[in-house]
Structure formats: C-alpha cells, structure tokens
Amino acid sequence: MKKCLFSLASLVLASFTATAQEVKFEEFDLDNGLHVVLHQDNTAPVVITSVMYDVGGKDGDRERTGFAHFFEHLLFEGTENIERGEFMKIIPANGGTFNANTSQDRTYYYEIFPSNKLELGLWLESARMLHPIIDQVGVDTQNEVVKEEKRQRYDSPYGGIFEAIGKNLFEVHPYKDPNIGYMEHLDAATLDEFNAYFKKYYGPNNAVLVIAGDFEVEETKKMVKEYFGEVKPRPEVVRNFPKEAPITTAKRVQAYDKNIQIPAILATYRTPGFGNRDAYVLDMISAYLSGGKSSVLYKKLVDEQKQALAVQAVNIPQMDYNVFALFALPLGEVSLDTLLAEMDEEVAKMQNELISERDYQKLINQFENQFVSSNASIAGIAESLASYYLLYGDINLINKEIDIIRSITREEIQAVAKKYLSPNQRVEIEYLPKKDDQ
C-alpha cells in the first residue's frame, strides 16, 4: 500500500512540476520608501503578513555582534500600543501563528491569520516598525533568552562548527563572526546602542512588506497606506564591507569542542554569493556528492568502504560569499586525512569527467521539485517574494529561477568544480574534542 501511495504521490508531483503555475504579484512603493508586494490567492481563507528587513548578522559594529539576532527577539517585547508580553498572545488568540528568523543577511518576521484578520496582521507589523518599546527590562529579558538559545544550539555537540568555519574561512568580512554574536558583546551593550541600531536599520525604506493569500487588492492597499504610511523613512544604509583575498594555498587549522568525542574533518571553500549563477551550480555539486543515501560520498564512505559515520557536502547560502564545505566523521581508527583524500577523489572525478546523463537528469528533477515545493504554500511564496526582491535584486526569479536550473549543463558542472574546488583554494579544519587542559 505504501508503495502505491508513494508512486501516486510521485506522479502528482511530477505533473505539478511540469505545469508549475506562474506566481502573479503586484508591487508598489509608499512615499516613505517601503516596498510592498501583493500576491493574491483566494483559494483558501488564509493570509500572511510578512516583513523582511535588510539587516543581518553581518551588519553593525564588530564589537557589538549579534544585534540583528537579538532584535529578532526584542521586537516581540511590545510597542507603545501593545503591552509587554501581549504581542505573542494576540496572534494565537485570533487563530494565527507567527515566527521570525535571522541570517547573516536579513531578518524576517511573519504572521499567518484567517483572512478576516488581515488588518490585525498589518497593525502588528506596523506597530513593530513604528514605535517598539526598547527598554532595559526588555533587553535584560531577551539577553537571557539568547543565552539559553546559544546553550541549546551552539553549545551542543558539533554546534560550534559554523563558528569555526566563519572564524577560519573569513579574515576581514563580517561573516567571520557568528550570526548569534558573542555574548560578551551583548552583555556590554548599552540601551543607547540598541536604540541607535534600531533607528539605523529598521526603517521602512530598508524593508519589504509582503502580503500573500486571501484578500482584496484595493482594500488592502488602502490599509497598507493607513498603517505604514506614517512611519518615517531613515537615512539610507550604506555598506562597504571589506573583500577577502583569494585563497591560493591550503591552510590547515584546528578547532576544539568540549561536547564531542569523535573528531571531524572539514574542507571549506569561499565561493560566490547566492545571486551568482555559479552558486546554483555549486548547489547541484553538493547534492550530487551527498544528497541522500544514493549519493556518491555516502555510498562510498558509509555504505561500501565503511570509513565514515557521516559525510556531507553543503553549499551554505549567503549574499556576499557562499561557503562550500565537505564534512566527515570517521568510523573506528580511520584517520581524518584518509577521509579528506577519499572526498577529494570524488571531487577530482567531477573535475576530470562529466557526471553521467542519468545522474544529471536526477539532479535536474530534484531541483525542479525543490523549486516547486518552495512555492507550494502561501508562506513559501511570501518568503520567496521577499528574498528575491530584497536579497537577489530580482523579484521575478520566483518564476524564472527554474529556467536557470534547467539551463545548467553537465559541462558547466565540471567547469565550476574545477574553478572553485581545488585543494589549494580551501581551509581544512580539524574539529577535535577539547581536553580538560586546553
């Protein structure tokens, strides 16, 4: 029975992929610079209000890291019209859900409501943008929340890997610092510094508002102008991040984690940011190498040779530089150098010969399905619209990106592997258990 259901689901998905509907949307700007995107879909009585701010972990004083992530929490504290703690009560009380997340490049807030609560969603987001309460009580409260998040996520086994990558792969760009920041920076920050950060980065002209779902367009436009029109624009944010010098000689470093017993090896490469065509190709390369149990690295190192407990190739998306990383955990007495050599062998094969036509078609199908799935819900469409506009500078990618995927060739995969993934272009990180005396 399961097999029949799986086959039917695959058939439906394949049909959906081949006939993916164009995502229609409308854009306009308020006088204060807020960019607004509307995607109307009246098939279900649901609406999402979302705001993406052009601010992330890379922004701000390098002696005050982690502010963007901190504000992800702080802006739920309350506003002049919403008492402390009520923001997160109002939404579920009205049948809605909400969340927020921060990356090195942006911060994203959203609420999903029954469509008759659209005005409530607009009021909440406009209140957050217009007049949040940033006081010492809120700062102290969220300081403890962030510290607990760090303990749970970053201080767990292998949770420090991303910090180790940033610290060793980047020397001058702010990607060298962890998105969550350093706790001593947050502890030392003053209330004036938090207020200054908000005033600099959270203006309407540094954000995009996306409304998607069941609503009437003209009525919604009027509400957007009513709720967001009074927010004052801020001075334009000017960024001039330092550029990293190319890596031309391999570098070997060690990083330590007191919460692990088994070491790991990483080979990390700085590659073009996610808006570059080569970044799409590198996504395919990572999927070919370790996208599931049928991938070449998993089959070789885990299944057949039984040299690794786990192996992975990832292309971590960022605006200015992506991070391509090979990762493996040894099984038994297998050395880290052996694992690295075995992974290098598979990369070299990609550099020296074309992947098979069958593997290529499998990759294309996989990425087509991922693209369709990302836009298969109102929430997914809203985030895609915000990201393509704010981060990629081309909102029409929501309909065109699938053509980029389909245009990538086997020859291009080989050329990109040669261009970016040679051993002399990387930082090798031995991620080791930390001993008591270290």
Side-chain angles (χ1 to χ4, degrees), residues 181-316:
Y182 299 107
M183 296 305 100
E184 58 268 27
H185 290 178
L186 296 177
D187 288 340
T190 66
L191 197 57
D192 286 344
E193 288 174 317
F194 284 113
N195 276 290
Y197 191 88
F198 177 80
K199 290 177 183 177
K200 180 173 183 178
Y201 292 108
Y202 291 84
N205 47 319
N206 199 45
V208 57
L209 167 68
V210 178
I211 303 164
D214 182 29
F215 60 87
E216 296 302 321
V217 172
E218 293 307 316
E219 179 185 355
T220 299
K221 286 182 179 180
K222 291 178 183 177
M223 286 192 288
V224 168
K225 292 173 183 176
E226 176 184 350
Y227 283 103
F228 289 89
E230 63 180 297
V231 187
K232 302 298 183 190
R234 309 281 168 72
E236 181 184 356
V237 176
V238 178
R239 296 177 173 89
N240 187 23
F241 297 127
K243 302 224 182 318
E244 295 284 345
I247 299 172
T248 57
T249 303
K251 178 182 177 183
R252 175 71 70 103
V253 299
Q254 288 79 39
Y256 297 91
D257 187 335
K258 66 181 179 180
N259 298 303
I260 66 171
Q261 295 181 329
I262 300 173
I265 185 67
L266 295 102
T268 62
Y269 306 78
R270 279 200 313 267
T271 56
F274 50 56
N276 189 291
R277 180 180 174 89
D278 287 350
Y280 290 96
V281 184
L282 286 160
D283 283 339
M284 286 194 170
I285 291 172
S286 70
Y288 172 79
L289 290 171
S290 73
K293 294 186 176 180
S294 62
S295 62
V296 294
L297 288 181
Y298 189 93
K299 283 171 60 178
K300 175 183 180 180
L301 294 177
V302 178
D303 275 353
E304 296 172 2
Q305 298 179 182
K306 303 195 183 312
Q307 293 174 307
L309 289 168
V311 62
Q312 193 170 11
V314 295
N315 192 34
I316 302 169

Side-chain angles (χ1 to χ4, degrees), residues 46-342:
V46 175
V47 67
I48 179 170
T49 55
S50 66
V51 177
M52 184 174 286
Y53 291 93
D54 189 3
V55 59
K58 69 183 180 185
D59 290 300
D61 187 344
R62 290 302 90 190
E63 294 301 314
R64 291 293 183 266
T65 59
F67 268 37
H69 174 262
F70 194 86
F71 268 89
E72 176 199 321
H73 296 273
L74 188 61
L75 291 187
F76 281 102
E77 274 288 308
T79 75
E80 290 182 7
N81 299 321
I82 303 171
E83 293 185 9
R84 191 183 311 280
E86 290 300 306
F87 205 107
M88 293 186 285
K89 295 179 182 178
I90 292 172
I91 297 170
N94 285 273
T97 59
F98 65 94
N99 213 331
N101 53 70
T102 311
S103 75
Q104 289 279 21
D105 299 304
R106 92 295 180 272
T107 305
Y108 186 58
Y109 299 89
Y110 67 90
E111 301 84 30
I112 304 174
F113 279 114
S115 52
N116 62 353
K117 298 294 182 180
L118 169 60
E119 188 169 4
L120 175 60
L122 295 175
W123 175 65
L124 290 169
E125 285 301 339
S126 65
R128 192 196 322 258
M129 184 184 292
L130 181 61
H131 42 219
I133 298 298
I134 300 173
D135 59 16
Q136 198 61 51
V137 174
V139 167
D140 291 343
T141 300
Q142 296 309 322
N143 199 318
E144 292 305 312
V145 171
V146 170
K147 285 178 179 177
E148 180 59 27
E149 179 179 343
K150 183 178 184 298
R151 283 189 287 268
Q152 291 182 0
R153 294 177 54 192
Y154 292 80
D155 295 341
S156 61
Y158 303 100
I161 280 180
F162 290 105
E163 183 173 338
I165 292 174
K167 179 180 178 181
N168 290 290
L169 191 57
F170 296 96
E171 296 183 358
V172 295
H173 191 282
Y175 286 160
K176 65 187 176 62
D177 300 315
N179 186 39
I180 199 170
Y182 299 107
M183 296 305 100
E184 58 268 27
H185 290 178
L186 296 177
D187 288 340
T190 66
L191 197 57
D192 286 344
E193 288 174 317
F194 284 113
N195 276 290
Y197 191 88
F198 177 80
K199 290 177 183 177
K200 180 173 183 178
Y201 292 108
Y202 291 84
N205 47 319
N206 199 45
V208 57
L209 167 68
V210 178
I211 303 164
D214 182 29
F215 60 87
E216 296 302 321
V217 172
E218 293 307 316
E219 179 185 355
T220 299
K221 286 182 179 180
K222 291 178 183 177
M223 286 192 288
V224 168
K225 292 173 183 176
E226 176 184 350
Y227 283 103
F228 289 89
E230 63 180 297
V231 187
K232 302 298 183 190
R234 309 281 168 72
E236 181 184 356
V237 176
V238 178
R239 296 177 173 89
N240 187 23
F241 297 127
K243 302 224 182 318
E244 295 284 345
I247 299 172
T248 57
T249 303
K251 178 182 177 183
R252 175 71 70 103
V253 299
Q254 288 79 39
Y256 297 91
D257 187 335
K258 66 181 179 180
N259 298 303
I260 66 171
Q261 295 181 329
I262 300 173
I265 185 67
L266 295 102
T268 62
Y269 306 78
R270 279 200 313 267
T271 56
F274 50 56
N276 189 291
R277 180 180 174 89
D278 287 350
Y280 290 96
V281 184
L282 286 160
D283 283 339
M284 286 194 170
I285 291 172
S286 70
Y288 172 79
L289 290 171
S290 73
K293 294 186 176 180
S294 62
S295 62
V296 294
L297 288 181
Y298 189 93
K299 283 171 60 178
K300 175 183 180 180
L301 294 177
V302 178
D303 275 353
E304 296 172 2
Q305 298 179 182
K306 303 195 183 312
Q307 293 174 307
L309 289 168
V311 62
Q312 193 170 11
V314 295
N315 192 34
I316 302 169
Q318 298 180 146
M319 179 181 286
D320 299 334
Y321 300 95
N322 279 13
V323 173
F324 191 96
L326 301 170
F327 166 86
L329 289 174
L331 179 63
E333 299 300 318
V334 176
S335 72
L336 298 182
D337 283 336
T338 296
L339 290 180
L340 187 57
E342 295 288 354

